[in-house]
Amino acid sequence: MELKLRKQNEVLNSHKRQVWWEDGYIAAAITLRSISGEAYSYLRKKVGIPLPGLSTLRKWTRNVKCAPGVLEEVFTVLRAKSQTMTIFERLTVLSLANRRKIFRPCRNLQAIMARGLASKWKKPIFYDFDSKVIRDLLFRDIRKLEERGFIVIAVVCDMGGSNQDLISVVNVSFPNPSGVKRNEFVFADVPHLIKLLRNNFLDYGIQLRSGTVIRKEPISNIIEDKELKLCPKLSDVHLNVKRSAKQKVKYA
């Protein structure tokens, strides 16, 4: 964690009981404390490194705005967090998700999540109701992440209706909008692809090149046969999927 020396000297030489911490320093302190709360307390109380108190961190996080749209405070935290990450940890994938019937009277929630490709971290950077992720919005978020030191290399889409429109526009790859000579690759979310394949199989079956159509009835017979268990965990729940249950990925 890199805190500017000038600010530390200002705090050490200050005779005031209260110190005004800028958002960048608080975001950096939150990142440090997220790594280890005990280490943060030790550095602050035992070593004497000037760091914001826990009450300051709590107050700042309480004032974080979570209104629909781009989450600017998250980008502030990401800028500080990128200073402690290696180049592999900064490899980033944008995940587009379309969730239906989460809030009323809205029909769906559109969200963009930034997550590490080679490390376990993820942050929501955008959400809105009844909204489509258009090309300009996607490019703006990529530029914001690149400006903060992250390396965006791919976009993953859950194949929602609005996301399919975007994918058809950008194709399988597109140039990085921040001016870096690198292509951004677009992938469909594999679990959702499996779900769509399952639904198509249940509704219409799968036609082989020979013209033979495989339907779910033979699999149902295998499940009902107690002496023959082709797949022990496969049950009637996986085959008799109706209505809203078809949108769930779990049983696919």
Side-chain angles (χ1 to χ4, degrees), residues 142 146 151-153 174-185:
I142 292 176
E146 293 280 351
I151 306 169
V152 182
I153 60 174
F174 57 92
N176 187 292
S178 63
V180 181
K181 293 184 178 180
R182 181 191 337 116
N183 279 353
E184 308 299 324
F185 293 92

Side-chain angles (χ1 to χ4, degrees), residues 42-60:
Y42 178 81
L43 292 174
R44 183 171 179 269
K45 296 181 179 180
K46 300 295 183 181
V47 181
I49 296 179
L51 293 169
L54 297 183
S55 60
T56 301
L57 302 186
R58 295 191 187 100
K59 183 178 179 181
W60 190 83

Side-chain angles (χ1 to χ4, degrees), residues 7-22:
K7 184 65 177 182
Q8 292 181 342
N9 291 333
E10 176 187 335
V11 175
L12 288 173
N13 297 327
S14 176
H15 298 290
K16 299 179 180 179
R17 296 185 63 184
Q18 293 184 341
V19 177
W20 177 260
W21 295 95
E22 298 176 1

Side-chain angles (χ1 to χ4, degrees), residues 59-221:
K59 183 178 179 181
W60 190 83
T61 53
R62 282 199 302 267
N63 293 329
V64 171
K65 298 178 181 178
C66 295
V70 178
L71 304 177
E72 296 292 348
E73 284 80 2
V74 175
F75 283 103
T76 302
V77 174
L78 286 174
R79 181 190 291 277
K81 188 176 181 63
S82 67
Q83 299 177 11
T84 67
M85 303 169 71
T86 66
I87 187 172
F88 289 103
E89 291 173 332
R90 286 185 278 117
L91 294 176
T92 306
V93 176
L94 291 184
S95 176
L96 312 184
N98 192 299
R99 300 288 183 253
R100 294 183 178 276
K101 297 181 180 179
I102 295 182
F103 293 96
R104 294 182 179 180
C106 302
R107 296 183 61 186
N108 60 72
L109 169 69
Q110 181 70 58
I112 301 180
M113 184 84 68
R115 59 193 311 158
L117 177 66
S119 58
K120 294 182 179 180
W121 67 269
K122 60 180 178 180
K123 297 288 183 182
I125 59 175
F126 170 88
Y127 81 93
D128 205 351
F129 302 105
D130 291 337
S131 172
K132 292 184 178 181
V133 177
I134 59 177
R135 178 179 179 275
D136 292 343
L137 173 61
L138 178 64
F139 282 17
R140 180 183 62 185
D141 287 343
I142 292 176
R143 285 193 294 266
K144 282 179 172 289
L145 287 168
E146 293 280 351
E147 290 169 0
R148 286 155 180 78
F150 291 88
I151 306 169
V152 182
I153 60 174
V155 177
V156 179
C157 168
D158 69 353
M159 301 306 293
S162 59
N163 294 337
Q164 291 181 27
D165 295 338
L166 175 67
I167 298 303
S168 64
V169 173
V170 300
N171 210 336
V172 295
S173 67
F174 57 92
N176 187 292
S178 63
V180 181
K181 293 184 178 180
R182 181 191 337 116
N183 279 353
E184 308 299 324
F185 293 92
V186 181
F187 298 93
D189 185 31
V190 174
H192 283 80
L193 283 180
I194 296 175
K195 180 196 71 176
L196 295 175
L197 177 61
R198 186 276 316 273
N199 292 343
N200 186 79
F201 169 70
L202 296 180
D203 293 338
Y204 310 106
I206 297 179
Q207 184 174 356
L208 305 180
R209 291 184 178 180
S210 61
T212 303
V213 178
I214 301 176
R215 302 189 183 277
K216 69 174 184 179
E217 285 74 15
I219 299 179
S220 299
N221 296 334

Side-chain angles (χ1 to χ4, degrees), residues 221-238:
N221 296 334
I222 293 176
I223 293 176
E224 293 174 0
D225 191 342
K226 297 181 180 180
E227 296 182 359
L228 178 61
K229 272 290 183 181
L230 183 63
C231 184
K233 293 185 179 181
L234 187 64
S235 66
D236 188 65
V237 178
H238 298 83

